[in-house]
Amino acid sequence: MAKNENLHKAKDAKKDEFYTQYEDIQNELNHYEQHFRGKTVLCNCDDPFESNFCKFFLRNFNYLGLKRLICTSYGTSPVVGQQLSLFDDENEPVARGHGYVMDIREVPMANGRGVSDEDIDALLKSKRRGVKKLKGDGDFRSEECIEYLKQADIVVTNPPFSLFREYVAQLMEYDKKFLIIGNKNAITYKEIFPLIKDNKLWLGYGFRKDDAYFRIPLERATGYAPGVYNPATGLVHFRNCTWFTNLDIQKRHEELTLFKKYYGNEEDYPRYANYDAIEVSRVSDIPSDYFEEIGVPITYLDKHNPEQFEIIGGSRWMGKPMSEIAPKGSYVAGGVRFYLPVDCSQFVKVERERERERAAAQRGKLLYRCLYDRIVIRRKVQTTV
């Protein structure tokens, strides 16, 4: 059994090898500069020789006023040694299968004006300041790496997608500030959504036009659909990734401008069959004169202002089972979700496409359609003093 578990872990680790581009890190971190002065930053899923997170914080160490930078690598990373042929502090060649740590408290600048690539190379190669071998494999869950986590103020990295729940749970356990990349579907995880609801975690600014491009190991460049992997650039394209954080940012205080009205346009806002709330399929259609519960797509979280709206819950947990409401065959089973009468389907065209084939099999009997995940929110009443 232990052997099988190790094989599964190795398989998952290989699938999780997505390397973030420097430009994407720069674009996101531009919004958080005020949080870093005098702080210890930990990048605990980052090979010191290869990671752009490591390179970014080395290059901006003095500009951000960091106190300390710690980068630890997972020993089985398939990119170790691809860009730099280096030796560790024991003068042994850096190789796969062993974890490494870089622990920096100072970044000298050769020209006195800024940190160059030459400065970074010299720092990494320095026996006094450079990279050291860990006792273990560098897994973020190891006792060795947890000790580094305890010493950090802010964690910034792209953690393994398959371990996202466990990774966030660890950050919460040790009460850490963080800025990390994850799959947008994580919003609906039962371990993650309560943190969003309770304002313990929220979305960052995200990738430009929601397009995320990651570098992957060459041996993984197969099996992708046309247009996902580009052999010319070596990048894989995803549209379902974003940044998660608990650092305060300006966008959380920007009020969502509401143009639409509910009263007088009730037919535009149908009620769910299995939950007492109205459907608003586009964030831009949220009415300004309605203060009861409404269901919105998860894309709403990109614009959520906790001072303007309260998050009540999610459709995965709040919808009443349709089996208690409608006869079998009158709806397409989709787990616990919100449903709308078929005659309201013009308001949710995306869901119509999703169920076209299944609905055709029950033509003439289908009365309700299952929606994608919804978040239930309620507008806060503004009080004046």
Side-chain angles (χ1 to χ4, degrees), residues 125-251:
K125 294 175 181 178
S126 168
K127 290 185 177 181
R128 184 168 66 90
R129 300 191 185 94
V131 178
K132 297 181 180 180
K133 188 180 294 183
L134 291 169
K135 295 178 181 178
D137 63 5
D139 190 309
F140 71 86
R141 298 163 293 187
S142 67
E143 291 184 9
E144 190 175 21
C145 288
I146 289 175
E147 285 304 311
Y148 283 114
L149 176 64
K150 291 177 180 177
Q151 300 170 49
D153 298 306
I154 307 174
V155 179
V156 185
T157 191
N158 181 358
F161 284 7
S162 67
L163 298 174
F164 191 79
R165 295 174 175 88
E166 191 171 354
Y167 189 86
V168 172
Q170 185 186 82
L171 294 176
M172 293 298 168
E173 178 183 354
Y174 290 95
D175 193 25
K176 294 300 173 181
K177 295 294 184 182
F178 59 87
L179 176 60
I180 60 176
I181 295 173
N183 191 309
K184 260 192 175 180
N185 292 333
I187 291 169
T188 62
Y189 295 170
K190 62 183 177 62
E191 300 88 351
I192 303 299
F193 185 79
L195 300 175
I196 295 175
K197 178 179 177 294
D198 295 336
N199 286 312
K200 295 180 180 179
L201 177 154
W202 45 87
L203 301 192
Y205 282 83
F207 293 89
R208 184 174 297 173
K209 296 183 179 179
D210 278 340
D211 289 320
Y213 294 87
F214 300 101
R215 182 167 60 92
I216 61 173
L218 291 177
E219 60 264 35
R220 283 206 47 227
T222 59
Y224 287 101
V228 176
Y229 175 72
N230 186 338
T233 63
L235 299 176
V236 63
H237 176 209
F238 292 106
R239 294 187 61 84
N240 62 338
C241 295
T242 192
W243 294 79
F244 294 85
T245 188
N246 60 354
L247 295 167
D248 194 30
I249 45 180
Q250 180 59 37
K251 66 177 276 189

Side-chain angles (χ1 to χ4, degrees), residues 24 75 82 89-90 102 137 142 161 250 259 300 317 383:
D24 289 330
Q82 286 188 7
D89 65 316
E90 298 175 2
M102 182 192 70
D137 63 5
S142 67
F161 284 7
Q250 180 59 37
F259 297 99
Y300 160 81
W317 304 280
T383 57

Side-chain angles (χ1 to χ4, degrees), residues 83-363:
Q83 293 185 14
L84 297 172
S85 297
L86 299 175
F87 293 81
D88 64 19
D89 65 316
E90 298 175 2
N91 209 32
E92 296 178 1
V94 171
R96 301 181 189 182
H98 213 98
Y100 287 83
V101 59
M102 182 192 70
D103 191 349
I104 298 294
R105 298 172 186 267
E106 177 188 14
V107 178
M109 297 179 290
N111 60 17
R113 294 191 299 273
V115 179
S116 66
D117 288 342
E118 290 74 19
D119 292 329
I120 293 175
D121 286 350
L123 191 62
L124 290 172
K125 294 175 181 178
S126 168
K127 290 185 177 181
R128 184 168 66 90
R129 300 191 185 94
V131 178
K132 297 181 180 180
K133 188 180 294 183
L134 291 169
K135 295 178 181 178
D137 63 5
D139 190 309
F140 71 86
R141 298 163 293 187
S142 67
E143 291 184 9
E144 190 175 21
C145 288
I146 289 175
E147 285 304 311
Y148 283 114
L149 176 64
K150 291 177 180 177
Q151 300 170 49
D153 298 306
I154 307 174
V155 179
V156 185
T157 191
N158 181 358
F161 284 7
S162 67
L163 298 174
F164 191 79
R165 295 174 175 88
E166 191 171 354
Y167 189 86
V168 172
Q170 185 186 82
L171 294 176
M172 293 298 168
E173 178 183 354
Y174 290 95
D175 193 25
K176 294 300 173 181
K177 295 294 184 182
F178 59 87
L179 176 60
I180 60 176
I181 295 173
N183 191 309
K184 260 192 175 180
N185 292 333
I187 291 169
T188 62
Y189 295 170
K190 62 183 177 62
E191 300 88 351
I192 303 299
F193 185 79
L195 300 175
I196 295 175
K197 178 179 177 294
D198 295 336
N199 286 312
K200 295 180 180 179
L201 177 154
W202 45 87
L203 301 192
Y205 282 83
F207 293 89
R208 184 174 297 173
K209 296 183 179 179
D210 278 340
D211 289 320
Y213 294 87
F214 300 101
R215 182 167 60 92
I216 61 173
L218 291 177
E219 60 264 35
R220 283 206 47 227
T222 59
Y224 287 101
V228 176
Y229 175 72
N230 186 338
T233 63
L235 299 176
V236 63
H237 176 209
F238 292 106
R239 294 187 61 84
N240 62 338
C241 295
T242 192
W243 294 79
F244 294 85
T245 188
N246 60 354
L247 295 167
D248 194 30
I249 45 180
Q250 180 59 37
K251 66 177 276 189
R252 275 176 58 79
H253 304 285
E254 295 172 354
E255 190 164 299
L256 186 63
T257 303
L258 308 175
F259 297 99
K260 298 296 183 71
K261 298 288 186 180
Y262 171 77
Y263 294 103
N265 302 286
E266 290 87 348
E267 69 281 0
D268 293 338
Y269 298 97
R271 288 192 171 272
Y272 300 121
N274 59 332
Y275 187 76
D276 188 17
I278 62 171
E279 158 72 5
V280 180
S281 59
R282 295 186 301 180
V283 175
S284 60
D285 289 338
I286 295 176
S288 62
D289 58 346
Y290 194 78
F291 291 85
E292 302 301 323
E293 294 182 12
I294 66 175
V296 291
I298 62 174
T299 53
Y300 160 81
L301 290 178
D302 283 316
K303 297 179 171 61
H304 177 59
N305 178 344
E307 298 156 4
Q308 186 180 16
F309 286 95
E310 174 188 6
I311 296 177
I312 307 299
S315 57
R316 290 198 179 201
W317 304 280
M318 302 179 73
K320 188 176 182 180
M322 284 298 290
S323 59
E324 300 178 12
I325 296 174
K328 186 177 180 179
S330 66
Y331 59 93
V332 177
V336 180
R337 296 289 192 278
F338 288 163
Y339 285 76
L340 282 178
V342 166
D343 59 6
C344 295
S345 61
Q346 64 268 28
F347 302 111
V348 281
K349 295 180 181 178
V350 172
E351 282 74 10
R352 288 181 63 189
E353 293 300 316
R354 186 179 81 160
E355 294 188 357
R356 177 179 292 174
E357 292 183 2
R358 288 180 291 178
Q362 301 190 42
R363 188 172 290 112

